[in-house]
Amino acid sequence: MSHARGKSDCCVVPKKLPNKAAGVVLVATEVVEGRQQAKGNASAERMSRRSRRTYDMGTALDGIRRTAKGRRDARFTGLLHHIYEPERLRAAYNALKRDVAAGVDGQTWQSYGQELEANLLALSDRLARGGYRPKPVRRVYIDKANGCKRPLGVPALEDKIVQRATVEVLNAIYEQDFIGFSYGFRPGRSAHQALDAVAVGVSVMKVNWILDADISKFFDTIEHDWLIRFIEHRVADARVVRLIKKWLHAGVLEDNRLERSELGTVQGGSISPLLANIYLHYAFDLWVKQWRGRHARGEVIVVRYADDWVAGFQYRDDAERFERAVAERLGRFGLRMHPEKTRLIEFGRFARGDRRCRGQGKPQTFDFLGFTHCCGKTRQGKFVVLRLTSAKRLRHKLAAVKHELRRRMHLPIAAQGQYLRAVLTGHGRYFGVPFNGARLSAFRLKVVRLWHRTLCRRSQRRRMPWSRMACFVHRWLPYLHICHPYPQQRLLVMTQGRSRMR
């Protein structure tokens, strides 16, 4: 067979003769024909398979959640494609704060969004082919309540996007594993729920002793080798593990010097709280659950929020044995209890009566999540855990307000009033718990006096009349009210909601 120059044969050339084709006058019952070339395949542009499939963010992780909940020993291999999906990266970008600080690259939320689709597609492609390289973290410092400086890290914007997308995917696994007394930096959980758990546990359970503890420099002493081993218990996707290692080894940029360490995870990134919870889940939570079931004589309660935790015991010997055992347990993973912030005190329903029989004073108090917890009574004489604004936190906040008012001294009254209104509103939303009304009113009164002193100093007059000051206060400074329910009410709503879901 001859062919025209420049043309090719069909894809399939028939070699079988038609059935029953004995002569030209007979009609073949089955004619075998060649298959032509597919039209358009040769000239069509190469397209990525990822761009043709649809991705439903609402149901994409449901299978992972069901598997993680049903099989505690399951290890997940295919996770990276959930992370580099453009829809998930776009959702992570939109979830970032608009005024978020820029990293070492100087990229802001607004500048990145000018060509958002192109930037997200390029980021997705780099993640898919392994070309993503995180940038070093920019080091900043913020003031702590004790006067020290807390180091924080500011990742680059793209690193924040990828970290937030990774956290969303990994939460589908680890939220099924984390134990109920862990409250820190978890979706659907808050610091007030941890505070309510402490109050209800002490009021309902037979708690006579409180071990108030804190882990010294926790985020700076996490060992990378142990962290990776913990992650590999559930994550078998080597690409995701490699991605986490890149963030751990990216380093910190401070004063134009790049520092890398084999210990710690930088606070400030979206991935750091999840990594901290994973580390403490294996190093602390699971061990506490096992110890409570095997070694405790009486009732035990534990509430943990990040690296700050409180444990309550019925018997003192249980508390002392637990304190020694938990220090040894954490030491195996490079962690150490803070010697000044860890103490055992007598606290609970029977503490006041027991101490009175021994000729001692009223029970001691402890601080947890910004509140001072005290043993109190209601008007009916029932025991209640009083939660008051910590004096240390109150002094630190007032000092910050005083400094900021001095800086804004010559701004218009409206600008100062808007700033103080925001301060009071934020303070009231967090500290507006039952039985804390007196300290809320005291904080507002002290803010009013600081503002009055600032306005007097900027004026040529000796003083500002309180009649005029009262107009400013009435216009800009709202009264603070109790906005949180009683602990039993909130926990009852949570329990009923979970039972309905089941």
Side-chain angles (χ1 to χ4, degrees):
M1 180 182 296
S2 61
H3 307 288
R5 187 172 184 84
K7 292 186 178 182
S8 61
D9 293 335
C10 293
C11 294
V12 178
V13 180
K15 292 185 178 181
K16 179 181 177 182
L17 296 176
N19 294 339
K20 300 181 182 180
V24 294
V25 295
L26 297 177
V27 180
T29 59
E30 180 184 353
V31 179
V32 181
E33 298 180 352
R35 189 169 67 234
Q36 300 294 327
Q37 290 181 342
K39 295 182 179 180
N41 283 356
S43 60
E45 297 181 359
R46 297 182 61 185
M47 298 178 62
S48 172
R49 180 180 297 180
R50 292 185 290 115
S51 63
R52 291 201 300 265
R53 60 183 174 86
T54 59
Y55 187 85
D56 186 0
M57 290 184 55
T59 60
L61 303 179
D62 289 344
I64 296 177
R65 295 188 184 96
R66 289 193 297 268
T67 304
K69 185 175 182 179
R71 297 172 53 194
R72 297 296 181 180
D73 58 342
R75 301 180 70 230
F76 297 85
T77 56
L79 297 175
L80 187 65
H81 70 279
H82 292 289
I83 297 175
Y84 64 64
E85 179 61 40
E87 289 296 328
R88 192 172 303 281
L89 296 177
R90 184 181 300 106
Y93 167 81
N94 292 327
L96 294 176
K97 295 182 179 179
R98 305 301 188 258
D99 56 347
V100 63
V104 296
D105 58 347
Q107 187 78 266
T108 62
W109 190 89
Q110 291 78 8
S111 61
Y112 193 83
Q114 293 177 358
E115 298 181 358
L116 180 61
E117 296 302 322
N119 291 332
L120 292 181
L121 288 177
L123 178 60
S124 174
D125 182 69
R126 279 183 280 130
L127 286 168
R129 59 182 172 83
Y132 166 76
R133 295 292 183 272
K135 296 178 175 58
V137 177
R138 182 170 64 87
R139 176 80 78 188
V140 296
Y141 292 91
I142 61 173
D143 296 328
K144 296 177 63 175
N146 57 3
C148 301
K149 297 286 186 179
R150 181 190 299 276
L152 291 181
V154 182
L157 187 73
E158 280 195 342
D159 297 337
K160 295 177 184 177
I161 295 173
V162 181
Q163 288 183 12
R164 185 175 287 271
T166 305
V167 168
E168 184 178 358
V169 174
L170 294 182
N171 272 339
I173 301 173
Y174 287 104
E175 279 301 309
Q176 319 306 321
D177 294 348
F178 289 155
I179 298 179
F181 60 73
S182 171
Y183 289 89
F185 308 110
R186 293 180 56 186
R189 291 180 171 240
S190 65
H192 285 97
Q193 294 178 3
L195 292 166
D196 292 345
V198 173
V200 174
V202 173
S203 302
V204 176
M205 306 288 286
K206 298 177 181 178
V207 174
N208 298 318
W209 299 89
I210 289 290
L211 179 61
D212 180 23
D214 186 78
I215 302 176
S216 178
K217 298 181 179 180
F218 168 68
F219 285 91
D220 297 331
T221 56
I222 293 178
E223 295 187 0
H224 294 175
D225 293 339
W226 276 114
L227 178 59
I228 297 301
R229 289 177 62 181
F230 293 153
I231 293 174
E232 289 176 344
H233 275 293
R234 278 300 221 173
V235 179
D237 193 336
R239 301 170 300 174
V240 176
V241 176
R242 193 180 305 117
L243 186 63
I244 295 174
K245 288 181 179 179
K246 290 180 180 179
W247 288 322
L248 293 176
H249 300 150
V252 177
L253 190 64
E254 183 178 4
D255 297 332
N256 295 326
R257 292 184 295 106
L258 182 62
E259 300 178 0
R260 288 188 172 92
S261 175
E262 295 299 324
L263 294 175
T265 173
V266 180
Q267 299 185 63
S270 302
I271 196 68
S272 297
L274 176 61
L275 297 181
N277 277 334
I278 294 174
Y279 200 89
L280 287 177
H281 171 72
Y282 289 99
F284 178 78
D285 296 352
L286 293 177
W287 177 86
V288 168
K289 184 179 180 181
Q290 174 264 342
W291 190 94
R292 181 169 54 183
R294 293 185 180 181
H295 303 286
R297 289 196 306 120
E299 296 183 354
V300 179
I301 65 168
V302 179
V303 176
R304 180 178 67 82
Y305 192 90
D307 59 331
D308 193 6
W309 53 272
V310 170
F313 302 87
Q314 182 178 357
Y315 301 112
R316 179 167 184 168
D317 60 334
D318 279 350
E320 293 174 345
R321 287 188 290 109
F322 180 85
E323 185 177 5
R324 292 191 299 266
V326 73
E328 180 182 355
R329 170 69 179 183
L330 294 177
R332 294 176 53 188
F333 302 98
L335 304 178
R336 186 173 62 90
M337 304 291 292
H338 200 292
E340 298 178 359
K341 297 182 180 180
T342 301
R343 60 197 184 105
L344 181 63
I345 64 173
E346 190 173 6
F347 192 94
R349 287 181 291 167
F350 313 105
R352 187 182 297 272
D354 293 344
R355 293 177 67 86
R356 186 184 300 114
C357 293
R358 296 194 300 265
Q360 299 175 340
K362 60 183 181 180
Q364 294 177 283
T365 63
F366 67 95
D367 290 352
F368 184 61
L369 299 181
F371 287 89
T372 299
H373 292 66
C374 313
C375 294
K377 288 184 179 181
T378 62
R379 294 180 179 178
Q380 293 76 23
K382 296 182 179 180
F383 172 80
V384 66
V385 178
L386 298 180
R387 299 173 296 176
L388 310 177
T389 306
S390 172
K392 183 186 299 184
R393 183 73 65 91
L394 194 62
R395 289 194 300 268
H396 175 72
K397 188 61 180 178
L398 289 174
V401 171
K402 179 180 179 181
H403 175 76
E404 190 65 22
L405 282 176
R406 290 293 301 272
R407 196 178 67 87
R408 300 170 181 247
M409 178 182 294
H410 299 289
L411 293 181
I413 297 294
Q416 296 181 11
Q418 290 176 356
Y419 161 70
L420 293 177
R421 174 186 289 176
V423 169
L424 289 176
T425 302
H427 185 88
R429 286 177 179 175
Y430 185 79
F431 291 101
V433 300
F435 306 109
N436 195 33
R439 297 210 174 181
L440 291 179
S441 301
F443 177 77
R444 181 180 182 272
L445 179 60
K446 291 180 183 298
V447 170
V448 169
R449 290 177 177 175
L450 288 175
W451 195 16
H452 178 257
R453 183 182 302 176
T454 302
L455 294 180
C456 288
R457 286 190 174 185
R458 81 168 190 173
S459 176
Q460 298 294 335
R461 303 176 183 177
R462 293 185 58 185
R463 64 184 183 88
M464 173 177 286
W466 276 104
S467 58
R468 185 183 178 193
M469 187 68 195
C471 298
F472 298 152
V473 172
H474 179 74
R475 171 68 177 85
W476 296 106
L477 303 187
Y479 286 96
L480 302 184
H481 304 283
I482 304 300
C483 57
H484 291 279
Y486 287 93
Q488 293 84 351
Q489 295 178 354
R490 188 176 350 231
L491 290 183
L492 180 63
V493 170
M494 292 174 56
T495 305
Q496 290 179 346
R498 290 175 182 173
S499 62
R500 293 193 189 101
M501 292 175 62
R502 293 175 183 173

